[in-house]
Structures are given as C-alpha cells and as structure tokens.
Amino acid sequence: MRIERLSAKAEDYLETILRLSETPRGARTGDIAAALDVQPSTVSAALKSLKEQGLAEYTPYGAVGLTPKGRQVAEDIAGRHVSLRRFFTETLGLSQEEAELAACGMEHDATPLVLDRMGLLGDFLRQNPALLGQWHAARATAKGERAPGVESGLDELPPGVRAVVVGIDVDSGLRKRLVEMGVTPGVLIAVERVAPLGDPIAVEVRGYRLSMRKAEAARIRVKWRPGLI
Amino acid sequence: MRIERLSAKAEDYLETILRLSETPRGARTGDIAAALDVQPSTVSAALKSLKEQGLAEYTPYGAVGLTPKGRQVAEDIAGRHVSLRRFFTETLGLSQEEAELAACGMEHDATPLVLDRMGLLGDFLRQNPALLGQWHAARATAKGERAPGVESGLDELPPGVRAVVVGIDVDSGLRKRLVEMGVTPGVLIAVERVAPLGDPIAVEVRGYRLSMRKAEAARIRVKWRPGLI
DNA sequence: TCGAAATGTTTGAGGACCCAAACAATAGCA
DNA sequence: TGCTATTGTTTGGGTCCTCAAACATTTCGA
C-alpha cells in the first residue's frame, strides 16, 4: 500500500518511537536520541518531518506519538526486526547481540517472502527435536566452538534442543526451587524461548515450564549431543 | 581492518565497478549509471570521491578501475551478495528475482557470522537429500503454492531435490539429446546448481551431469514428493 | 514561588546523495 | 582531416541527515 518507500532512517525513528511509547515514560526526544545514537536536535528535526508526512503526532515540548499510518509502518518494521532476530538466534544459533546487530540493519531490506521462508524453515527444524539437535550439533562442530558433548551453561543452549543437566552452581534460593521442580543432575532440560533482550529465559523440564534470568540459567550446567529426545 | 565503514552507496559503486571491469567493455561511466539507476553526472561525482578515498583509479574520460583496497572491499561485498542469493534460492527456495532483490539490500548489513551460519544450514540440509525434499515439501505445502506431487517444470525444482520425469515437451534437438542421456519418463532427475542469473541450469540424471538453458528445463515436466531419493 | 538544572528547539553549517542542463572530450564516419 | 554523435564532466541547485551552539521551555528542589 505504501507507494513511496520510506527511508531507512525514517523507519528507524518510527520503530523507536513505537517501542518507547509503550514504556511508562513515553517517547521523549532525549530517549529517542539516545536510542538512535544521534543528537537531540536531530530528533527534533526528524519529528517535524515525520509530522509533515502524517506519520507522527507531535507538539513542541509535548508528547510524541504515532498516527495510525505511522503506527502501521512502525509495527511492520518491528515485526521484521523480531522475525529476523528470532531466525538468527533460534534457527542459526547466534547470540542475542550478534542477532540484534544484524537484524537492525537488515530489517529495512528483508522482503516479506524472505521473512516468511525463514520462519517456515525454523518451524520445520523445531518441529523435529532430533533434527534440530543434529543441526545445532553440525554447526557447532563445524567451527569447533562448542562441540556437542561438551558442557555449557543452560543460557548457551539453542532453544528447542534437549540437554542433560550435569550440575547446578547455585548457592541457595534458586537451587532449592530448582530441586523442587525436579531439576537435578541427569534430567533432560530444554530452553523453550528466550525473550527478545536475552532475558528472561523460558525453560521446560519434566513438563514444567519455568522462567529464569539469564544469569541464573548460566549456573545450570548442561551437556548435549545430537539425537537427545 | 576497515576502521570506518563505507556507506552502502559507496559499496554499491565498488561492487558495480568490479563486476563491469570484468567485461570486455570495462567499467564505463554510463554503464555504471545504468546499473545503479542514477544519472551519469552522479557517477562522475562518485568516482571522484572514491578516488579521493583511495578506492578507485580514475582519470577523467579515461578508464575506471579499482585500487587493491577498493577491490578488496568490492570482492567482500560481492561475496556477501552471492552468499545471500544462494541461501535465498537454494535453501529458502525463492525465485532468482526475489533473491536478487533481497540480497541487493541486505548485503550491506549481513554480518560474516550470519552469512557463515546460513551457509552451514544450507549445507546441512543438502547433505541429506531426503531431508531437503521434506523441507521443500513442507514449505511448498505451507502456502499451497506448488504442493509436492504436483507436476511442474524442471526449472522450478529447488536444487538438490530429486523428482521423477513425467514427460518432455520438446519438439526436437534437445529431446533427442535428452533421450540419449537417459532422460525419459520415470527416471529420477535433480537440479544440481543454477547459475547466478538463473541460466544455465546444471542437471544431474543417472550419474550424468548436463547443462541446459532455463527455457529448455521448463520443457521437462517433473513431479516430486518428499522422501524421493 | 522562584530560580537553577534538565530537557527540548532553532539556527547555521556541512557532508553525502541526487538531478538537469550546460559544457567538454572522444570516437567514428565522411 | 574535419564534423557530428556519443559519451563524460562540471555547475548549480535540491533533499535528507547530521552536528554544535545558542536559545526556549519545563521540571523540580529549596
């Protein structure tokens, strides 16, 4: 529907405004500037321009918001962003930071068809846990970074891959809770989902679903190899 | 090694110069302009700037070339471009046009790690033909575009996927050659590789490897379903 | 309530692109 | 060897994005 494509910068502003306007603080000039790593004066100019294009609502010194049209564009971009990041982390097994970095730039040019197929490929792999494990094992061994069979923290485990708990380095509190949930050496555990910012992490163990911080997950030592189901 | 990242535009100019300088005509201002869809005057300015940055060799009205530094950048970008396009066509099963469109924009922001993992994932799938067939079947049925079991031209078959020849609509010439090669209804056939521009297509049948034009491949009607090995 | 302090805007200026039109050089033909 | 057609460059102007510095407003503590 959008005849004239917006510039990547304009898309960045809209996406940032959308994200910030969901916080209690709202979208403020200074926060937008900090998020995009530009000066506040640049944001003022950008807001004026977005307003003229009918994309943002804005009164000087006042609140910044999006028009329905602006919100539509912003949600589209934000959607591409999460699709890419999800593919990079969950399917390609990259770190949150690396995924964020690449997604940030590629979101402006990824076509709907590309995003769609990436999603389908991820679903295809996840739908078969043994296959997913094989793939992650293959890519991990390819670069010799963290070969399967080697111990790591639960936080480093790709989502959907099952691993065996080998130990827990937690002093107290969490340890007790985990033991009550049945997280003891020998049981199978999997990361279900990692929040967009890498924290918290949704974990599945013995049919329980629990949520924990990344730092806590790092204390749970696991070992995995392909074919673990 | 490159401290200051070049702009996407500068990268586009370098990539185009590299590509054109491999043709007998060489890289000429007008051709660069046509390739990038800008006016020749814009190219003149760009060349002057690239020269100042030590990336291009250029004398007014003379030949355009790349310095070692410029060539290095251009080859890097060209490499990202083909990596992405290959992933989009061979792994995601997109058309050459769609892949080209997306690769063109995304090449500037795809990180080495992302490209590397995409390549590994493609290799992982291709290494098991049955798995590759399952994936392509899954994605084709997901959108109901070309469900497995349905007849199509050999040109539409994703590389690596085996299919059964059901017929050949060729008048003469090629038909005879194909029959001699053993391409008759009932035999298994696969596309091995598609050239970057979609033509020609390398085909594998009964251990033979043959090359044909896309238009010719379209005349070979095939039917495929997951699990065909 | 009445100033700082924090925050936001304007202004002026520059870089990176782009174009159209005027101008210059080259190539190829007579 | 000229002369024209093609090709390439310069010039002048515009947009978008950016900044620093000067200015305005709002917020908040005393």
Side-chain angles (χ1 to χ4, degrees):
Chain A
M1 264 309 117
R2 57 187 154 110
I3 312 294
E4 193 84 20
R5 245 204 80 190
L6 288 174
S7 72
K9 295 295 179 181
E11 290 183 344
D12 282 337
Y13 279 105
L14 292 174
E15 188 186 6
T16 304
I17 293 168
L18 176 65
R19 183 164 51 81
L20 290 176
S21 57
E22 280 164 354
T23 67
R25 234 175 112 75
R28 301 185 55 167
T29 302
D31 295 343
I32 299 171
L36 294 175
D37 196 27
V38 295
Q39 295 308 116
S41 60
T42 305
V43 175
S44 274
L47 289 174
K48 207 157 60 174
S49 162
L50 290 174
K51 184 182 179 175
E52 280 163 7
Q53 292 173 74
L55 296 165
E57 285 160 349
Y58 160 68
T59 45
Y61 297 102
V64 178
L66 294 173
T67 63
K69 188 175 149 197
R71 170 172 286 270
Q72 195 186 326
V73 175
E75 282 174 350
D76 176 41
I77 296 297
R80 295 161 184 237
H81 189 109
V82 310
S83 295
L84 282 174
R85 191 177 47 207
R86 183 154 191 247
F87 180 74
F88 294 156
T89 55
E90 301 192 7
T91 307
L92 296 186
L94 293 169
S95 70
Q96 295 285 335
E97 299 73 37
E98 176 75 16
E100 184 61 32
L101 179 70
C104 239
M106 294 170 85
E107 63 190 356
H108 303 292
D109 295 287
T111 66
L113 220 44
V114 164
L115 295 172
D116 190 52
R117 293 288 170 92
M118 284 177 170
L120 286 175
L121 180 50
D123 291 343
F124 173 75
L125 290 171
R126 272 187 294 277
Q127 136 210 320
N128 182 342
L131 179 61
L132 186 70
Q134 271 178 39
W135 150 237
H136 283 300
R139 65 150 188 78
T141 39
K143 293 292 159 180
E145 45 179 51
R146 170 171 38 80
V150 165
E151 197 182 310
S152 72
L154 180 62
D155 59 321
E156 293 177 53
L157 200 66
V161 175
R162 287 200 172 278
V164 178
V165 174
V166 296
I168 303 172
D169 314 338
V170 179
D171 344 292
S172 64
L174 181 69
R175 172 164 213 146
K176 194 162 162 248
R177 184 173 139 229
L178 288 173
V179 172
E180 280 168 2
M181 289 290 208
V183 181
T184 50
V187 305
L188 285 176
I189 195 167
V191 170
E192 238 178 15
R193 195 109 172 65
V194 178
L197 293 93
D199 219 344
I201 293 173
V203 172
E204 186 275 317
V205 59
R206 294 193 168 190
Y208 284 101
R209 270 152 225 268
L210 48 158
S211 177
M212 61 181 73
R213 316 242 15 173
K214 186 177 179 176
E216 292 169 342
R219 302 293 189 81
I220 300 177
R221 310 302 299 174
V222 299
K223 194 180 268 191
W224 68 293
R225 54 178 172 70
L228 220 54
I229 307 178
Chain B
M1 264 309 119
R2 57 187 153 109
I3 312 291
E4 193 84 19
R5 245 206 79 190
L6 288 174
S7 72
K9 296 293 179 182
E11 290 182 344
D12 283 336
Y13 278 105
L14 292 174
E15 188 186 7
T16 304
I17 293 168
L18 176 65
R19 183 163 53 80
L20 290 176
S21 56
E22 281 163 354
T23 67
R25 234 175 113 74
R28 302 184 55 167
T29 303
D31 295 343
I32 299 171
L36 294 175
D37 196 27
V38 295
Q39 294 309 116
S41 60
T42 305
V43 175
S44 274
L47 290 174
K48 206 157 61 175
S49 163
L50 289 173
K51 183 182 181 176
E52 280 164 8
Q53 292 173 75
L55 297 164
E57 283 160 349
Y58 159 68
T59 47
Y61 297 101
V64 178
L66 295 173
T67 62
K69 188 174 150 197
R71 170 172 287 270
Q72 195 186 325
V73 175
E75 282 174 350
D76 176 41
I77 296 296
R80 294 161 184 238
H81 190 109
V82 309
S83 295
L84 283 175
R85 192 179 44 206
R86 183 153 192 248
F87 180 74
F88 294 156
T89 55
E90 300 192 7
T91 307
L92 296 186
L94 294 170
S95 70
Q96 295 285 336
E97 300 74 37
E98 175 75 17
E100 184 62 31
L101 178 72
C104 238
M106 295 169 85
E107 64 190 357
H108 304 291
D109 295 287
T111 66
L113 220 45
V114 163
L115 294 172
D116 190 52
R117 294 286 170 92
M118 283 178 171
L120 286 175
L121 180 50
D123 293 343
F124 173 75
L125 290 171
R126 272 186 293 278
Q127 137 211 319
N128 182 341
L131 179 59
L132 186 70
Q134 270 177 39
W135 150 235
H136 283 300
R139 65 150 187 77
T141 38
K143 294 291 162 182
E145 47 179 49
R146 170 170 37 81
V150 166
E151 197 182 309
S152 72
L154 180 62
D155 60 319
E156 293 177 54
L157 200 66
V161 174
R162 287 198 172 279
V164 179
V165 174
V166 297
I168 303 172
D169 311 339
V170 179
D171 342 296
S172 64
L174 181 69
R175 173 164 212 147
K176 193 162 164 245
R177 184 174 141 230
L178 289 173
V179 171
E180 280 167 3
M181 288 290 206
V183 181
T184 50
V187 304
L188 284 177
I189 196 168
V191 170
E192 236 177 18
R193 195 111 169 65
V194 178
L197 292 94
D199 219 345
I201 293 174
V203 171
E204 185 273 318
V205 59
R206 292 191 170 191
Y208 284 101
R209 270 152 228 267
L210 48 158
S211 177
M212 61 180 74
R213 316 242 15 174
K214 187 177 179 176
E216 293 169 342
R219 302 292 189 84
I220 302 176
R221 310 302 299 175
V222 300
K223 195 180 266 191
W224 69 293
R225 54 179 173 68
L228 222 51
I229 307 179

